[in-house]
Every structure is written in C-alpha cells, then in structure tokens.
Amino acid sequence: MTLAPWQSSVLERSVQALAEGRLGHAQLLVGPPTLGTLETARALGERLLCTGASEQGLSQACGRCKSCLLLAAGSHPDWHEITFEDNPQGKKRSEITVDQLRALRDKLQLSAQLGVAVVAVIHPADAMNHSAANTLLKTLEEPQRGRYLLLVADSLSRLSATIRSRCQRTEFRLPTSVASLQWLQEQGVDAARAGSALQAARGNPGLALEWLQDEEILPLREQVRTTLQALAAGKGKPEETAAKWADSSQLPMILEFAADYALEQQLAAIANGEATVKSATTIADWFDRANQTRKLLSTTVRKDLMIYELLLRWSSL
C-alpha cells in the first residue's frame, strides 16, 4: 500500500509508539475521508498483525509473511472490519448497529488464532447508533492485551465524549499547499491543474485528486458558480434552474458546490470590507438552507420545490 506523506507520518508515529509500549488499545483517527483516514487505519492494522515487519524495522507491513498473505486474500481470522451492513431489503444501512458491536465484542474475547493480535477497524465510527456506542464503550473500558480497536470518524462531534476519552486520538490536518501540490504532481497531475483543483478543494489534496479523476466534477462546480452569478445579476429564471437541478443525478454535489460558493462570497465580502451584519447573516442563512436541503434529498419532500425556494432566496439577496 502506497501512503501519502501525511498518512505515512501518522503510521510512523504509531509504530514508534508501539515499539516504545505507548500505543493504546484504542486509536481514533479523525478527519475527512479524502485525507485517507481509513487507508491509514488499515495500514496500521496490517502492521499490527504482520510478523515480518518488526524483524526488519519496517513501518508498514512486510507483505510477505503468512499474516500479510491472509490479509491480501481477505481471509485473516484475526482481522475484523465493521462498517455499514445491508438491511433485510438489501440496501445499505445508514448506521452501525448494536448487533454488529456485540458480535465484535464476542470475537475480541477469543484468542488470536495466529497468536499475534486481534485488530478491528470500525468506520465510520461516528455512525454508530446509541446502543452500538454503549456496547463499544463497555469494550473500551475492559481492554485486553493484544486487542486493538481502530476507530475512523469524519467528525468528533458525533462521538460521545466518553468514547473519545478512552481513545488515543489522531486528527488529520490539511498538509501545506507546497506538500499538497508536490504530491498531486507525483500522482501525474500537471502543476496548473493541480493548483486550480487544490484551490477548488480548499487545500484538500485527496479531494482535489478525486475531483480530477472524475472529468465531470470540476466543470460541474464551475457551472454551478456561473448559474448562481447569473441569478444574482437578475439573469436566468430560478424555476428553470430548479427543474434542471432537481433532474440531475449530481444534485447532492450541486448543492454542496452552491453552499461553498455562498460561503466563498461571504468570506470575500468580509475580506474586502463590504460585508454588513445584515448581509453576513443573510448569506449564512442561505448557506445553512442549502446544506439542509441537501440533507433532505433522501426524504419524500418535493426536490424541485425545495430548490426553487432556495434559488428564489438567492436571487433576492
């Protein structure tokens, strides 16, 4: 597994802590998924189970020992990954359930079959329901030697303070723009495209690369910005735009870009000394409404009417 520099540094610190006996049984990795929190957790879990890496002084798993080969085959008996399961209708659940955590608790009480360790990766840990979180808490409060829980979360606020306090925490921060640009160029992106994509992704190199790999995303972002600029200038019709957006399979992304553009406009107005308390409050309210509309897309509300109201408000700002 090839890790980005900011992921490698997290792994190296964790392996150093392991060597010095400071690595806790519960690790919490927090940050945007596009920064590779899950990939780093998996790399750490693989290293904890590897029997060859410690002998060679490697930060990453050796890839050749029996444990690594079983992991590569997806059949390691001491590796457990907990994430969204299918419901009886065959659709992915939106939360991690108590039954999943109870099953994991039982597995963690068994001896390691390969005699090294037992590793469980839970992602996204902030999607556990209340009962699941309580079950996990009991497991965290009764640590066992050679058992490692690696929690991956997008947001700390959705995890209870008690769970957070039982874990060693690593928060993924955005790398410097220089490091991000260099990494993007190492992925084969030319400097000009890397710079513009990184700016669009607000300094997140993983997100920038994701958008660059999908040829529709960045043009869509520019299209949303152009549309909102036209509506603000009194050009175009909110009802036509609402109908078009509501029909798009990219609607969640459209609304995300719209909210980002509103925030960008507000920050620019503040920086230029043009913002008033009233204008700042109005834009902030529209930003919140755009994000709320995005959250409601999975409900039975009329998408076109929600978006029309949103764009009507934008036109009158």
Side-chain angles (χ1 to χ4, degrees):
M1 180 187 297
T2 302
L3 297 178
W6 59 90
Q7 297 163 1
S8 294
S9 64
V10 171
L11 180 61
E12 288 166 6
R13 289 197 301 270
S14 298
V15 171
Q16 183 64 33
L18 175 68
E20 296 172 359
R22 296 183 290 103
L23 189 73
H25 76 292
Q27 300 293 312
L28 174 57
L29 286 73
V30 185
T34 44
L35 282 181
T37 46
L38 177 57
E39 290 78 4
T40 308
R42 285 174 174 156
L44 174 57
E46 291 166 4
R47 175 61 176 78
L48 290 168
L49 291 172
C50 179
T51 57
S54 55
E55 297 172 1
Q56 302 173 57
L58 303 175
S59 293
Q60 288 192 244
C62 72
R64 297 183 298 276
C65 67
K66 180 179 179 181
S67 180
C68 287
L69 294 176
L70 286 171
L71 277 168
S75 56
H76 199 299
D78 300 322
W79 173 275
H80 309 289
E81 195 160 325
I82 309 300
T83 188
F84 299 124
E85 288 186 328
D86 290 342
N87 63 20
Q89 290 73 43
K91 295 182 179 180
K92 288 291 180 189
R93 296 183 185 274
S94 59
E95 61 181 16
I96 293 173
T97 67
V98 64
D99 289 342
Q100 290 177 268
L101 269 296
R102 285 173 178 163
L104 176 62
R105 180 186 60 195
D106 293 342
K107 290 172 182 174
L108 292 174
Q109 290 172 350
L110 302 174
S111 299
Q113 293 190 43
L114 295 190
V116 179
V118 179
V119 171
V121 179
I122 303 174
H123 66 93
D126 45 346
M128 290 184 293
N129 63 28
H130 182 70
S131 298
N134 283 340
T135 300
L136 174 66
L137 186 56
K138 292 176 184 176
T139 305
L140 292 173
E141 289 173 341
E142 300 170 358
Q144 299 179 64
R145 185 178 179 82
R147 307 294 187 272
Y148 295 96
L149 286 163
L150 309 180
L151 281 62
V152 179
D154 300 350
S155 170
L156 278 178
S157 63
R158 294 197 296 269
L159 277 173
S160 73
T162 316
I163 286 180
R164 297 199 303 264
S165 69
R166 298 292 191 277
C167 301
Q168 288 179 340
R169 187 165 80 209
T170 300
E171 294 189 45
F172 280 58
R173 307 289 186 185
L174 293 178
T176 65
S177 58
V178 172
S180 297
L181 286 170
Q182 181 179 340
W183 179 76
L184 284 170
Q185 290 176 67
E186 288 170 356
Q187 310 313 304
V189 182
D190 67 73
R193 292 184 70 225
S196 60
L198 191 62
Q199 183 180 17
R202 295 191 182 178
N204 184 325
L207 184 59
L209 183 61
E210 188 177 292
W211 287 354
L212 284 164
Q213 289 172 337
D214 186 329
E215 295 181 358
E216 295 181 0
I217 296 296
L218 288 173
L220 177 66
R221 175 180 179 270
E222 192 57 38
Q223 199 176 75
V224 170
R225 294 159 66 86
T226 302
T227 298
L228 291 178
Q229 288 167 2
L231 289 173
K235 302 173 183 177
K237 296 179 179 179
E239 61 271 23
E240 291 180 359
T241 300
K244 184 178 178 181
W245 283 9
D247 247 2
S248 173
S249 60
Q250 298 274 34
L251 182 54
M253 184 71 74
I254 287 172
L255 290 172
E256 182 179 341
F257 286 149
D260 285 349
Y261 179 70
L263 180 60
E264 183 183 310
Q265 291 299 102
Q266 183 178 13
L267 293 174
I270 292 170
N272 296 331
E274 299 169 356
T276 64
V277 173
K278 182 179 179 181
S279 67
T281 303
T282 303
I283 291 288
D285 177 67
W286 196 90
F287 173 83
D288 289 339
R289 285 176 181 271
N291 283 318
Q292 187 61 31
T293 300
R294 184 156 53 98
K295 292 176 183 176
L296 291 172
L297 292 178
S298 59
T299 68
T300 57
V301 297
R302 284 274 303 271
K303 292 185 292 187
D304 55 340
L305 294 180
M306 279 197 307
I307 298 165
Y308 174 62
E309 181 186 357
L310 187 68
L311 294 176
L312 206 57
R313 285 178 177 271
W314 177 263
S315 300
S316 62
L317 291 182

